[in-house]
Amino acid sequence: MKSAKQARGRETVEQLVEAAMAVYAEGGPQRFTLTAVVEASGVSVGSLYHHFGSFDILAAEVWSRCMADLLDHLVAALRATRTARTGIRAMVVGYLRWAAEHRARAHFLLVSPHAGHVLPHAERMRAGKAERMEAIAAWFAPHVAAGRIQDLPPALIEMLVIGPVAETVRRWLAGVPGIDLDEAARLLPERVWQSVRGPGS
């Protein structure tokens, strides 16, 4: 009896998360409201509060799912490579391709005002990212040790590799003129690689 109730609870959570993602994809941040998500999901307001506690926590869960999807994509891109250069280039291209294919999710991560709702739940979000970030760090570690990638603090390596790509995507999402993701995928990978290339490469 208890397991059946738990299963129904998980189904309700998934209904709400999927509905929230669909509402955002279809209507953007203007339509992303508790009322719209409840209507799209068919779940009651009381049930939403029962499972999430607040609409902000539901928004944080959507953010977490979007981030997990992006990181899974980057981990898969890295694992398909063998050299430091091809790995870095694959991360850059992988991020750009993911954003092009999942515009609404990229928008939620990088542009949406709802991304600010994640901050009060930062610990929970970090816990969800940990395993994926460890997989990325594990790929970097031997290349850094061998001098193929510069021995910099991990946060600075992340800024050099992901920072330019994320900013490119953010401006593309905001409609800044002159930003083309296909062009970025041609021009950025080698330049990003050169920024972290170590003396042993």
Side-chain angles (χ1 to χ4, degrees), residues 48-150:
L48 184 152
Y49 278 97
H50 171 74
H51 289 289
F52 288 99
S54 72
F55 186 68
D56 284 358
I57 295 177
L58 172 59
E61 179 62 23
V62 173
W63 188 94
S64 181
R65 300 282 184 101
C66 293
M67 177 60 75
D69 192 38
L70 169 60
L71 291 177
D72 283 343
H73 193 79
L74 296 183
V75 170
L78 280 177
R79 287 177 173 168
T81 67
R82 290 187 294 175
T83 70
R85 178 175 180 267
T86 57
I88 296 298
R89 290 173 60 90
M91 280 191 79
V92 174
V93 173
Y95 196 121
L96 294 167
R97 294 287 181 253
W98 179 85
E101 293 169 10
H102 304 284
R103 185 180 183 121
R105 294 187 179 209
H107 195 283
F108 199 96
L109 282 179
L110 298 172
V111 180
S112 168
H114 298 283
H117 298 184
V118 168
L119 295 178
H121 314 288
E123 289 300 325
R124 178 183 174 189
M125 296 302 103
R126 272 198 288 273
K129 289 172 60 177
E131 184 178 343
R132 295 168 175 89
M133 294 304 292
E134 286 168 9
I136 292 173
W139 180 89
F140 271 88
H143 293 297
V144 172
R148 292 185 291 268
I149 291 175
Q150 293 181 39

Side-chain angles (χ1 to χ4, degrees), residues 91-92 95-96 110 161-170 188 192:
M91 280 191 79
V92 174
Y95 196 121
L96 294 167
L110 298 172
V161 176
I162 298 300
V165 187
E167 184 58 25
T168 298
V169 171
R170 185 178 287 110
L188 282 181
V192 171

Side-chain angles (χ1 to χ4, degrees), residues 144 149-153 157 196 198-199:
V144 172
I149 291 175
Q150 293 181 39
D151 188 6
L152 297 170
I157 292 179
V196 297

